[in-house]
Amino acid sequence: MIRRPQPVPTELTRGFWDAAARRVLSIQRCRNCGQRFHPPVPVCSRCHCEKLRFDPVSGLGTIYAYTVMTEALVPGFAAGIPLVVAAVELDEQEGLVVVSNLVDFGGTEVPIGARVEVAFEELPDGGGTLPQFRFRDELIA
Ligand SMILES: [Zn+2]
C-alpha cells in the first residue's frame, strides 16, 4: 500500500514539527516585534530581526478558504477522498493562515468563517504527527 507523503522537517520547520509531535501547535514568532509567521521564515519581514522562535498558539481559528480533492492525484491519498483542504486563519493574528486537512467531516461544503480547532494525527511507522483541523464541537449540532 502506498502511504501518504510524510513531513520532512528542515532546519527552518523543525520547531513546528517537534511541537506537533508533542501535540502542540506552535507558530514561529519574531522575538523583537511579536509578528507571527507560517510557514516559517528565516527573517522577520516586518522588522528584519533574525531572532525567531516557535511559540504555542491556541489551535483555534476560522475557515478562511477551502478546496476539496475528489481524485487521488498524489499516491497515498485514495483512502481519504474526498479530502477537504482548508486554509485556517488562527485566532492569534489576522492573516496568519495554516493550510491543512479538515478531518472528522464527511461533507464537501465548508462554511467560510466556521470555527475549527487543531486535531493531531499520528502518521504510521513513526512518520510524525500531522496538525489538522476539525469543527469545534458546539458548531456540529
Ligand atoms: Zn519582527
Side-chain angles (χ1 to χ4, degrees):
M1 188 172 87
I2 299 173
R3 293 183 315 187
R4 288 172 59 161
Q6 298 181 341
V8 180
T10 65
E11 185 178 331
L12 197 56
T13 65
R14 189 166 310 282
F16 177 83
W17 294 114
D18 285 353
R22 302 187 310 270
R23 295 182 166 262
V24 173
L25 185 62
S26 196
I27 298 294
Q28 193 188 45
R29 188 170 198 189
C30 176
R31 295 180 71 173
N32 184 48
C33 75
Q35 184 78 7
R36 291 179 171 91
F37 297 95
H38 187 81
V41 296
V43 176
C44 176
S45 60
R46 188 188 205 191
C47 75
H48 307 292
C49 178
E50 295 179 2
K51 292 180 180 169
L52 300 137
R53 69 174 179 211
F54 287 85
D55 279 347
V57 292
S58 65
L60 302 175
T62 57
I63 299 289
Y64 182 82
Y66 75 99
T67 190
V68 180
M69 282 176 55
T70 57
E71 293 182 50
L73 299 176
V74 176
F77 281 93
I81 298 298
L83 181 68
V84 179
V85 179
V88 173
E89 184 177 54
L90 299 179
D91 284 1
E92 280 75 11
Q93 181 178 295
E94 186 177 343
L96 181 64
V97 171
V98 174
V99 176
S100 191
N101 304 130
L102 193 59
V103 297
D104 299 336
F105 175 64
T108 56
E109 302 272 330
V110 179
I112 301 298
R115 297 288 294 157
V116 292
E117 63 187 2
V118 71
F120 294 95
E121 178 183 350
E122 301 290 331
L123 297 174
D125 302 326
T129 306
L130 194 61
Q132 301 174 109
F133 292 90
R134 64 176 164 233
F135 288 115
R136 295 276 289 170
D137 289 341
E138 66 264 26
L139 296 180
I140 290 175

